[in-house]
Amino acid sequence: MKLRTCTSSCLLALALSGLALPSVSQAASDKPAKTAKAKASKKKTKTPAAPKKAPIDYDGEFVNFGQWKEVKQFLDDLSVRQGFDRAELEATIAKTRYVDAAVQLMKPAPPGKPKNWQAYKQLFIEPSRINGGVRFWNDNRDALARAEALYGVPADIIVSIIGVETIYGANTGRFRVMDALTTLAFAYPLAPQRASRMEFFRQELESTLVYARQAGIDPFSLQGSYAGAVGLPQFMPSNIMKYAVDFDGDGKIDLRSSAIDAIGSVAAFLVAHGWRRDDTGPLAYPATVSSSGQWTRYINQGLEAKFRQQDLMADGIVSTSSLPPGMLFGLVDLQNGADATEFWLATNNFYAITQYNRSYFYAMSVVELGRAIKAARGASM
């Protein structure tokens, strides 16, 4: 979901949220028209260099994927559908390595582990991401203002997503995308929906090869998360092709080193997934629920704001804040382990963020980190 770079803090976050697997969604809206202002800003904002690390996060194991029946069929189909040379495809697959770390990270979480929003929140609403967000905003203020004007997505939400995903480019992942995707496409661990997950990763492997051909790059030069997500915003390869934009106007899309392209691409993705510029209020409103139990029918009703305020109130769901008239909402429950669950009435734009990662915890962490960064930036000016 998008599937993400997973550091030790990310793995802990997944456990606290009760998620076994971040979801992946992403693909290419048309590039925005290059305004005079956009053309004037050709110089890329480079992200600070991260400390030197090993080139990749694993040793890998040689497995002759090309001899696997399913891989042969995949290559046969791919050569026909996408016009690849069959022998070249086989030579490419022969270079990939099996990544056991990716397989282990995809295994379902232990059953019965309670979700804990407050613990999850502390991993992301913390000083390094807040202070880094202020710096990132200041360094890219013009691009963020342009994205907000063009797409209607506030700067604090864009900055927060990049902060949650990769700490503003400090941790974009050190797995070779070809290795990770080939492993997961053909050796996904035993788990519910294994077949559909393998099909998903096969599509992403195909997208990686097509994208590399279109961009004129070596597919093995792409590094990312254990699940194949790339760059500052952690887009899956298919989403780079569908939603990424050349926001710095240099004639190419570069999510790995152009903060400006990442900013425009995050905004474009959210708009393509339902963000509305006219919804200008809070993304979620705190709520209480009655003891009658009628409210439970609003839980797990899809990632969509579709309930009227009067219907929610009739079933004992009341916001502690004033709600905009005529707006639709969804009920979000943020469980806190043994402590009381938090309830929120979520708007359409909150649910647009869940299309980036299908998790209430994720979306609320984006909202709250963005709020904290905005406040810290305002206090420093």
Side-chain angles (χ1 to χ4, degrees):
M1 18 340 216
K2 68 187 183 22
L3 290 167
R4 310 295 177 215
T5 300
C6 215
T7 60
S8 58
S9 65
C10 172
L11 291 175
L12 179 55
L14 295 182
L16 293 170
S17 69
L19 295 176
L21 173 65
S23 75
V24 193
S25 54
Q26 294 168 344
S29 62
D30 294 335
K31 293 200 295 187
K34 292 177 182 168
T35 63
K37 187 172 182 181
K39 291 178 181 178
S41 180
K42 294 259 184 178
K43 187 175 180 182
K44 288 189 177 185
T45 301
K46 299 289 183 181
T47 55
K52 280 259 184 179
K53 297 178 181 177
I56 54 177
D57 275 337
Y58 57 91
D59 293 326
E61 177 185 348
F62 174 73
V63 171
N64 193 348
F65 281 113
Q67 296 301 311
W68 293 20
K69 178 181 177 181
E70 294 85 353
V71 176
K72 288 182 177 181
Q73 182 63 53
F74 172 78
L75 298 182
D76 288 340
D77 293 344
L78 184 57
S79 64
V80 173
R81 283 197 316 274
Q82 299 292 353
F84 283 103
D85 179 270
R86 179 64 173 76
E88 290 181 4
L89 280 178
E90 191 164 345
T92 299
I93 290 295
K95 299 176 187 176
T96 59
R97 300 184 73 82
Y98 173 86
V99 187
D100 186 62
V103 174
Q104 298 305 318
L105 288 166
M106 285 294 176
K107 288 185 176 179
K113 191 171 184 63
K115 298 179 180 181
N116 192 320
W117 158 241
Q118 289 300 324
Y120 181 101
K121 173 181 175 180
Q122 291 174 14
L123 297 176
F124 296 102
I125 321 304
E126 48 83 29
S128 67
R129 281 185 168 86
I130 295 171
N131 297 332
V134 171
R135 288 192 298 272
F136 184 86
W137 193 333
N138 289 338
D139 290 345
N140 297 283
R141 58 170 63 87
D142 291 343
L144 286 161
R146 184 158 53 90
E148 187 164 346
L150 181 62
Y151 295 106
V153 181
D156 56 291
I157 295 298
I158 300 172
V159 173
S160 182
I161 285 177
I162 295 173
V164 169
E165 291 296 336
T166 61
I167 318 180
Y168 317 104
N171 186 0
T172 58
R174 292 181 294 123
F175 287 82
R176 289 200 313 183
V177 169
M178 284 292 297
D179 292 344
L181 291 179
T182 303
T183 299
L184 295 173
F186 299 103
Y188 197 88
L190 292 176
Q193 301 181 322
R194 180 176 185 260
S196 64
R197 301 311 297 164
M198 290 175 72
E199 178 59 28
F200 168 79
F201 285 110
R202 290 179 194 187
Q203 292 173 2
E204 292 300 330
L205 178 57
E206 176 174 335
S207 294
T208 300
L209 291 165
V210 173
Y211 168 66
R213 180 175 64 183
Q214 291 178 351
I217 62 175
D218 179 356
F220 289 94
S221 70
L222 292 171
Q223 290 188 4
S225 74
Y226 70 92
V230 175
L232 279 79
Q234 290 291 272
F235 274 22
M236 293 299 287
S238 65
N239 293 326
I240 297 175
M241 297 174 67
K242 295 175 186 175
Y243 306 117
V245 296
D246 172 22
F247 206 54
D248 61 18
D250 70 348
K252 62 181 180 180
I253 295 170
D254 182 5
L255 299 185
R256 294 182 286 173
S257 59
S258 172
I260 296 176
D261 282 358
I263 287 166
S265 298
V266 168
F269 177 89
L270 290 176
V271 169
H273 288 83
W275 186 279
R276 299 174 186 167
R277 68 166 62 238
D278 55 338
D279 291 354
T280 57
L283 274 66
Y285 296 82
T288 61
V289 298
S290 70
S291 59
S292 68
Q294 296 285 355
W295 59 269
T296 57
R297 71 187 187 92
Y298 295 95
I299 295 294
N300 298 323
Q301 294 301 307
L303 301 177
E304 180 183 359
K306 57 185 178 182
F307 300 112
R308 299 183 305 167
Q309 180 180 348
Q310 54 265 44
D311 295 331
L312 293 162
M313 291 180 64
D315 284 329
I317 303 165
V318 179
S319 175
T320 56
S321 301
S322 177
L323 299 178
M327 184 175 282
L328 300 178
F329 300 92
L331 182 62
V332 167
D333 58 329
L334 302 180
Q335 298 174 38
N336 282 310
D339 295 329
T341 296
E342 290 183 27
F343 293 96
W344 295 78
L345 291 178
T347 65
N348 175 81
N349 287 348
F350 179 93
Y351 285 109
I353 296 174
T354 67
Q355 300 306 308
Y356 209 101
N357 184 311
R358 300 172 72 84
S359 161
Y360 290 161
F361 280 18
Y362 176 88
M364 190 60 76
S365 70
V366 167
V367 171
E368 296 213 4
L369 177 59
R371 184 184 298 128
I373 292 169
K374 187 174 183 178
R377 185 170 183 265
S380 67
M381 295 180 71

